Amino acid sequence: MVGTAGMMPVRAAAPAQGQQAVLASMPQIDAPIALLLDVGSGRVLYARDVHRRFVPASITKIMTSYVAFDLITKGKLRLDQRIPIRRETFRQWRNVGSTMFLPAEAQPTVAELIEGIVTVSANDACVVLAEGAVGSVPAFTKLMNEAAAELGMRDSHFNTPNGWMDEGQTYVTAADLATLSGALMTRFPELYRRFYGHAEMTWGGITQPNHNPFYGVVEGADGVKTGFTNEAGYGFVGSAERNGRRLVMVLGGYDRPNLRAKQSRDFIEWGFAAWEAQPLFAKGTAVGRAAVQGGAARAVSLVAPRALTVTVPRGAKARYSLSVRYKGPLKAPIAKGETVASLIVRVPGEPVHTQPLVAGADVARGGMFDRLRNGMAGMVGL
């Protein structure tokens, strides 16, 4: 059964030439794979071959940090926890690609390892973290693939925590990477702000720069990850936030890093300049209510977890309709902040945009009296 809060107001239509004009102003993008997404509205501003599988190289480390953040949030890993380095791991990953230059006797903290992974793309740190967190690399990549499945990343698979060449066993798509990056930022905002956005890192007396081409150049830039191998070419998932509006872009398959740097900057600047977000609901707004089964309460409010918007060509007004959907009735217990429903945004000529809604309160599992009361109320249509 699917619950719905019905349709909501419709706005005036944006002229078709408005979108044509904004696309005509787009800068040249030579990457064979390209995607630009407005996270707040879920609208894809530009897409090229976004479901094509490709080798992510170090972009893999976005998922590595996602799993680490999830373990930390669940209390299964601590930021101050020290992790010794196995001799075999030291021998295998010493000075292999980008590293933190971890010495054999080091016992870095989880926080130091995540900083190394995110800021300087440390291959050694990925393996040390994976082994220290859950016992082995296969156990960690199992969590990576489970997270991918939960997020709906249907065309991605992870065989390594650092993206090192593995004969194509690790692969992703631009669409999946945009989904992952958006979830990383919205599900773990405090950890994201703590570890992402750093232009350099110093550890063990060695200072290394972050190779993110946005840092120091693009206003509001705070992520996400570059990647390169001879097999994959030069790729980049980038993000910037301005005035509460966040864009995420994915580019894959460049053969030169300087071209990747220039065109990625032009791409995201076009996204901010040529498009604008029109507000739908402020963060924390109750958008609707959902029926609850077996709970201490019969219904729960559905709340916007962030500012929800609709994105249109700058200066235009969009025609759209809104509805709320959930699989219902929802079953108790329900935790406040848990994603339990979706806001469906329909814009003529566009794919349906789906944005999350969360429970506005905890709903405990009901006792016998609650079940009797709710059953009686249901019988008389209350």
Side-chain angles (χ1 to χ4, degrees):
M1 176 182 175
V2 177
T4 177
M7 305 303 290
M8 298 181 190
V10 174
R11 294 291 179 89
Q17 60 267 32
Q19 183 163 335
Q20 294 171 357
V22 78
L23 291 175
S25 71
M26 196 184 90
Q28 181 174 341
I29 301 296
D30 296 323
I33 296 169
L35 173 65
L36 184 60
L37 173 73
D38 190 310
V39 175
S41 67
R43 179 164 185 170
V44 173
L45 307 185
Y46 181 80
R48 176 188 296 160
D49 222 354
V50 297
H51 298 292
R52 170 182 165 187
R53 293 178 177 180
F54 68 97
V55 176
S58 286
I59 293 173
T60 298
K61 292 160 185 166
I62 300 174
M63 179 58 89
T64 305
S65 66
Y66 181 94
V67 170
F69 290 174
D70 187 50
L71 291 172
I72 292 164
T73 301
K74 293 175 178 176
K76 298 179 179 180
L77 197 63
R78 301 191 325 274
L79 287 171
D80 62 353
Q81 181 178 335
R82 292 195 173 274
I83 298 180
I85 301 169
R86 296 172 60 247
R87 292 182 181 179
E88 296 83 353
T89 301
F90 173 75
R91 286 195 295 265
Q92 182 180 358
W93 292 102
R94 181 185 183 188
N95 299 332
V96 176
S98 301
T99 76
M100 277 179 68
F101 302 103
L102 291 168
E105 68 279 5
Q107 292 193 24
T109 65
V110 168
E112 289 169 336
L113 292 171
I114 295 174
E115 179 74 16
I117 291 165
V118 169
T119 303
V120 300
S121 198
N123 291 322
D124 51 356
C126 290
V127 179
V128 172
L129 178 67
E131 293 176 340
V134 291
S136 70
V137 165
F140 194 86
T141 56
K142 181 175 184 289
L143 293 181
M144 296 170 76
N145 289 311
E146 288 174 353
E150 182 208 356
L151 292 171
M153 298 170 62
R154 298 182 180 87
D155 293 305
S156 297
H157 182 265
F158 298 94
N159 184 60
T160 166
N162 56 21
W164 194 251
M165 294 170 286
D166 61 1
E167 299 182 342
Q169 294 183 71
T170 297
Y171 55 83
V172 294
T173 66
D176 283 354
L177 286 173
T179 296
L180 171 61
S181 299
L184 179 77
M185 300 162 188
T186 56
R187 293 191 180 187
F188 312 110
E190 293 181 3
L191 289 168
Y192 181 79
R193 287 192 295 269
R194 172 168 177 169
F195 289 103
Y196 278 85
H198 303 168
E200 64 180 22
M201 174 188 179
T202 300
W203 193 86
I206 301 172
T207 299
Q208 299 183 70
N210 191 324
H211 294 294
N212 187 315
F214 281 2
Y215 292 167
V217 180
V218 173
E219 179 189 349
D222 60 4
V224 175
K225 192 73 189 70
T226 58
F228 168 75
T229 65
N230 290 330
E231 180 184 17
Y234 293 90
F236 179 38
V237 179
S239 182
E241 185 176 31
R242 297 179 189 172
N243 300 317
R245 182 182 173 212
R246 178 176 291 282
L247 301 184
V248 169
M249 48 140 285
V250 183
L251 296 172
Y254 279 109
D255 57 8
R256 289 182 293 155
N258 57 340
L259 189 61
R260 174 186 66 179
K262 180 185 184 307
Q263 292 193 351
S264 65
R265 294 165 185 161
D266 292 344
F267 197 24
I268 205 159
E269 291 295 352
W270 170 77
F272 281 113
W275 300 83
E276 64 181 350
Q278 296 180 3
L280 295 175
F281 299 101
K283 179 179 178 179
T285 301
V287 177
R289 290 179 67 79
V292 176
Q293 183 180 63
R298 296 186 62 208
V300 66
S301 61
L302 303 174
V303 173
R306 61 173 188 265
L308 302 181
T309 62
V310 60
T311 304
V312 298
R314 187 164 294 279
K317 289 186 178 297
R319 187 177 73 184
Y320 58 84
S321 62
L322 306 176
S323 60
V324 172
R325 286 188 178 176
Y326 61 93
K327 292 182 180 180
L330 304 176
K331 290 182 172 56
I334 299 168
K336 182 178 180 180
E338 178 183 351
T339 300
V340 292
S342 298
L343 177 68
I344 308 300
V345 185
R346 291 183 173 87
V347 178
E350 289 289 320
V352 172
H353 305 152
T354 303
Q355 304 186 42
L357 296 174
V358 301
D362 293 323
V363 180
R365 186 178 285 108
M368 183 179 297
F369 174 78
D370 296 306
R371 292 195 297 271
L372 179 61
R373 180 199 62 196
N374 294 341
M376 293 295 293
M379 288 175 64
V380 298
L382 296 178

